[in-house]
Amino acid sequence: MKKTAKIDSKAKFMTIKDVSERTDLSVYTLRYYAREGLLPSVERDNNGVRTFTEADLESVYIIECLKNCNMSIQEIKDFTRWTMEGDATIDKRLALFQEKYNVMQKKMWKMQETLEALQYKVWFYHMAKQAGTVAVHDSMKPEDVPEKMCQIRDRMKHVERLTKERKFWDKVRKQRDTQEK
């Protein structure tokens, strides 16, 4: 049974095209979300046209956030169902968002590390280009290296150390496996 909206002339309804333009999502994606039950409050007018409200627009935003957290459509359906079930599912929703928040914090930390490594390499090659050689870094005085670049390089050395240790242990395991055969 399809829901039919009772259109209040004072209420602001949007068409799927309006929502698509405001969210940069395709009409197809929005129809898919509605068909999958991710937008349960989206109704149809007397002509069968989907009508969206500002609250539906907020729901679309939350769906996109959840997708950006690598949530599956089924997980988003679960969240939507929990929302419809009301206050009895607050703990489930809280746990879901805490978990996704923690996962995203870790990802952002890794991305920040990557961004800093890129920043260091841009500086490194910018200096090399000015001097015409990467050997310029061998002759640089410590006071000529910006503090931020020193900090980033120190962190990168730590990662290199771990990589070398990993290679060492991989070599040891390989030798041990060869001897056991």
Side-chain angles (χ1 to χ4, degrees), residues 132-147:
T133 179
V134 293
V136 67
H137 299 286
D138 298 335
S139 61
M140 286 181 82
K141 297 176 185 168
E143 59 268 14
D144 294 336
V145 179
E147 179 64 27

Side-chain angles (χ1 to χ4, degrees), residues 96-107:
L96 173 75
F97 279 99
Q98 284 176 328
E99 175 198 350
K100 295 305 174 183
Y101 179 81
N102 292 337
V103 167
M104 289 304 292
Q105 271 195 318
K106 288 177 185 174
K107 283 183 180 182

Side-chain angles (χ1 to χ4, degrees), residues 14-31 33 39 52-65 67-68:
M14 294 170 274
T15 66
I16 200 163
K17 183 180 177 198
D18 297 330
V19 175
S20 175
E21 289 171 0
R22 287 184 63 180
T23 62
D24 286 331
L25 293 173
S26 70
V27 168
Y28 173 82
T29 298
L30 294 166
R31 284 187 186 127
Y33 289 171
L39 297 168
F52 292 77
T53 64
E54 287 294 325
D56 296 322
L57 202 56
E58 289 176 28
S59 294
V60 169
Y61 177 77
I62 292 297
I63 291 167
E64 286 300 297
C65 287
K67 280 181 56 190
N68 289 335

Side-chain angles (χ1 to χ4, degrees), residues 53-104:
T53 64
E54 287 294 325
D56 296 322
L57 202 56
E58 289 176 28
S59 294
V60 169
Y61 177 77
I62 292 297
I63 291 167
E64 286 300 297
C65 287
L66 296 175
K67 280 181 56 190
N68 289 335
C69 294
N70 294 322
M71 281 185 71
S72 68
I73 293 298
Q74 184 57 54
E75 290 173 310
I76 298 171
K77 282 183 183 181
D78 291 342
F79 166 72
T80 302
R81 188 182 73 252
W82 295 338
T83 301
M84 300 298 289
E85 290 173 7
D87 291 346
T89 61
I90 288 174
D91 288 340
K92 289 179 183 178
R93 289 181 271 165
L94 175 61
L96 173 75
F97 279 99
Q98 284 176 328
E99 175 198 350
K100 295 305 174 183
Y101 179 81
N102 292 337
V103 167
M104 289 304 292

Side-chain angles (χ1 to χ4, degrees), residues 104-127:
M104 289 304 292
Q105 271 195 318
K106 288 177 185 174
K107 283 183 180 182
M108 288 179 68
W109 181 74
K110 288 289 187 189
M111 289 179 74
Q112 184 61 39
E113 262 187 351
T114 301
L115 187 61
E116 287 179 356
L118 292 171
Q119 181 184 9
Y120 172 81
K121 287 301 189 180
V122 166
W123 171 81
F124 181 95
Y125 287 111
H126 178 75
M127 298 300 293

